[in-house]
Amino acid sequence: MDPVTLTTDRLLLRTAGPQDTDAVYAACQDSDIQRWTTVPSPYLPEHARGFTEQMVPDGWASGSMFTFGLFLPSGELAGMLGITMRSLGVGEIGYWGVKEHRGHGYITEAAVAVSRWAFTKMSVDRVEWRAEVGNRASRAVAERAGFALEGTLRSSLNNKGVLRDCWIGSLLPSDLGLASTVPYLPAKQ
């Protein structure tokens, strides 16, 4: 699949490429990104090159991972967000924000826009969010974007060779006022 470009009120969401390698490298020097995400630590220039030159384009080409850089009108990188396909109709969202641009709602704005795109253009019926227990910033973004917190999965997230408990939540098309591609019959309690 060819990469797509999306826009929101404040952001340009486009695939990250070689021209963004330096900005990705600089952003991933942040200790919070290295602590809470699965990026390598220490994060080296070759990691940024592998991400922008191989991982991102390969994900789009295979339809397995759709990665968007979040760019301000100035062209500055504000964050990164991707949806990785986990099973038929199910994608998992992941994101990080550039330290200097946190607290402005950019990641939330992008999460809603990319989820809407996945629901309407990619036949996705469920976007899952997972974060290590304790990652309150990620959880706040997910909750502001409309994700329903569904619980805690024990020993479910492998971060740098260590299994950790994680929170899980989901966003459904109906949460954004959209129709699913297949009927949904919620369980009766």
Side-chain angles (χ1 to χ4, degrees):
M1 170 175 190
D2 290 330
V4 301
T5 299
L6 305 173
T7 56
T8 68
D9 289 342
R10 303 180 297 159
L11 299 168
L12 175 69
L13 310 175
R14 65 162 173 81
T15 188
Q19 72 276 18
D20 306 307
T21 300
D22 291 343
V24 169
Y25 172 73
C28 289
Q29 297 310 298
D30 177 33
S31 60
D32 285 336
I33 291 175
Q34 290 186 28
R35 164 63 182 95
W36 294 111
T37 74
T38 57
V39 303
S41 181
Y43 196 82
L44 305 174
E46 54 264 31
H47 295 130
R49 276 193 305 278
F51 178 72
T52 60
E53 296 177 16
Q54 185 174 8
M55 184 181 291
V56 170
D58 288 356
W60 279 98
S62 68
S64 62
M65 183 173 64
F66 309 106
T67 304
F68 294 87
L70 287 53
F71 295 91
L72 301 174
S74 65
E76 264 187 283
L77 178 67
M80 199 64 62
L81 183 146
I83 292 187
T84 303
M85 298 309 297
R86 293 296 180 207
S87 61
L88 184 62
V90 179
E92 181 180 333
I93 196 167
Y95 43 77
W96 51 256
V98 175
K99 187 174 191 168
E100 296 77 23
H101 298 296
R102 292 183 194 140
H104 301 287
Y106 296 135
I107 307 301
T108 302
E109 188 175 317
V112 172
V114 172
S115 295
R116 181 176 297 278
W117 168 80
F119 292 144
T120 59
K121 304 296 186 196
M122 301 305 299
S123 299
V124 168
D125 287 311
R126 177 181 166 89
V127 175
E128 292 184 346
W129 160 83
R130 295 169 193 249
E132 183 179 333
V133 171
N135 188 345
R136 298 205 180 281
S138 181
R139 181 174 172 161
V141 166
E143 289 175 336
R144 283 193 304 270
F147 283 74
L149 188 63
E150 296 176 333
T152 301
L153 302 175
R154 297 180 313 141
S155 187
S156 180
L157 190 143
N158 187 326
N159 190 348
K160 298 168 188 68
V162 177
L163 289 172
R164 300 169 189 269
D165 295 345
C166 76
W167 290 317
I168 185 168
S170 70
L171 189 69
L172 305 179
S174 58
D175 297 330
L176 298 180
L178 302 169
S180 294
T181 61
V182 295
Y184 169 45
L185 182 61
K188 293 187 179 177
Q189 300 293 330

